[in-house]
Amino acid sequence: MHWVIQRRIFKPGNYDLLIQALDSLEVAYTSVTIKPGTYDLEPDVNLTGKVYVCGAIKLARIANERGWLPGSLLNENFNFNVWQQHLGSELLNHAVGTGKLADIDTTRYKQFFIRPMEDNKAFDGTVIDNEMLADWRSDPAKNNLLKLDVMVSPVKDIYREYRLFVVNGRVVTGSLYKMAGRPQVSADLDDEVLMYAQTIISKWTPAQAFVMDVCLSEDSYKVIEFNNINSSGFYASDVLKYVDAIQQAFS
């Protein structure tokens, strides 16, 4: 299977780890850029057979247009409404308000968590207050976000946050990435978080391969969100295991 990797999307360290893993496993790949305002690849890539892509949503659309399979695993299941239907209270932010960024009501909160409903990378989920939201709404550079569907929820205490790479129903690698709200990266995964992840996987999954962010919160382990595996950062995850699992699943 041939991998197509979009340059300058991943942080340099993540990009280097991915290339090193592909080289180590002798997996063919091409690094590309996308011409601004177009769907043209540089260099242009004309491939037959299995193709897997790593990059932004635009690369997923290019893969779909060119009929590349598996291409990107991004699909309609990467939407908060879908997660809520399947997992309910297993979601950290299951009790939420939803609406357009331009007019969603957040007056009952001093601070709140906000994120796009879809995994569209318009902005990362974050904690803000109403003053910051007002700044967003008045910022001309953010006009394109005003019609975006978002969800908001109360801020909760989170003790640890993990990123887990799931392929064919099992966690193949993962990483701790925050401790008590502060960045802390470690490849060590507690048995409890892996057991919890498996209970979620047994209930529902958004795709054959995906990334799931899980936390230990004041309400025990919860799912923060699901992410498209083709676009996700690695933290301290074992990238070699990720590449090998994708090769085994889709080649």
Side-chain angles (χ1 to χ4, degrees):
M1 183 165 65
H2 196 103
W3 290 47
V4 175
I5 316 297
Q6 187 177 357
R7 293 193 295 271
R8 295 194 291 273
I9 291 297
F10 295 98
K11 293 179 180 179
N14 282 312
Y15 177 83
D16 291 343
L17 287 171
L18 181 56
I19 296 303
Q20 289 167 16
L22 292 166
D23 285 338
S24 179
L25 293 171
E26 299 182 343
V27 175
Y29 65 89
T30 303
S31 294
V32 300
T33 58
I34 302 174
K35 295 180 183 178
T38 76
Y39 284 82
D40 298 331
L41 297 179
E42 290 184 332
D44 193 24
V45 184
N46 296 299
L47 298 166
T48 58
K50 298 289 185 70
V51 180
Y52 180 81
V53 300
C54 291
I57 290 176
K58 183 176 278 191
L59 184 58
R61 293 171 179 161
I62 292 171
N64 185 58
E65 289 176 357
R66 298 191 180 198
W68 290 344
L69 295 173
S72 171
L73 280 297
L74 184 65
N75 63 59
E76 64 278 1
N77 288 330
F78 290 93
N79 184 298
F80 183 84
N81 281 333
V82 178
W83 312 341
Q84 197 171 39
Q85 291 169 15
H86 288 279
L87 298 181
S89 62
E90 292 295 348
L91 293 171
L92 175 69
N93 299 303
H94 67 280
V96 301
T98 60
K100 302 294 184 184
L101 182 66
D103 54 21
I104 190 168
D105 181 11
T106 60
T107 54
R108 63 188 181 279
Y109 304 123
K110 289 184 177 179
Q111 287 188 316
F112 50 91
F113 176 81
I114 184 169
R115 60 151 287 155
M117 294 288 284
E118 296 183 22
D119 181 21
N120 55 20
K121 308 302 180 186
F123 65 88
D124 292 332
T126 188
V127 174
I128 63 172
D129 57 26
N130 284 294
E131 183 177 354
M132 293 176 67
L133 179 60
D135 289 343
W136 284 18
R137 287 170 170 167
S138 62
D139 184 353
K142 289 185 167 60
N143 280 344
N144 61 313
L145 300 180
L146 294 180
K147 295 183 179 180
L148 188 70
D149 289 316
V150 298
M151 54 80 72
V152 296
S153 67
V155 177
K156 297 183 178 180
D157 290 330
I158 300 176
Y159 309 123
R160 294 195 295 273
E161 297 176 53
Y162 302 88
R163 171 152 294 182
L164 306 174
F165 285 73
V166 181
V167 181
N168 279 347
R170 68 182 184 92
V171 177
V172 297
T173 186
S175 171
L176 173 75
Y177 64 88
K178 276 187 185 177
M179 182 85 76
R182 296 188 176 187
Q184 183 163 333
V185 177
S186 171
D188 294 331
L189 297 176
D190 296 335
D191 289 341
E192 290 86 354
V193 72
L194 293 174
M195 291 172 61
Y196 175 74
Q198 204 58 50
T199 66
I200 297 301
I201 293 167
S202 68
K203 290 181 180 179
W204 180 79
T205 60
Q208 186 178 348
F210 59 96
V211 165
M212 177 167 60
D213 289 351
V214 169
C215 71
L216 178 60
S217 76
E218 58 193 73
D219 300 321
S220 72
Y221 284 102
K222 296 290 181 181
V223 176
I224 302 173
E225 62 185 7
F226 296 93
N227 292 289
N228 176 26
I229 198 168
N230 306 78
S231 305
S232 297
F234 305 122
Y235 298 109
S237 302
D238 188 325
V239 183
L240 198 70
K241 290 182 178 179
Y242 155 62
V243 172
D244 186 55
I246 293 295
Q247 284 293 110
Q248 294 294 328
F250 296 104
S251 290

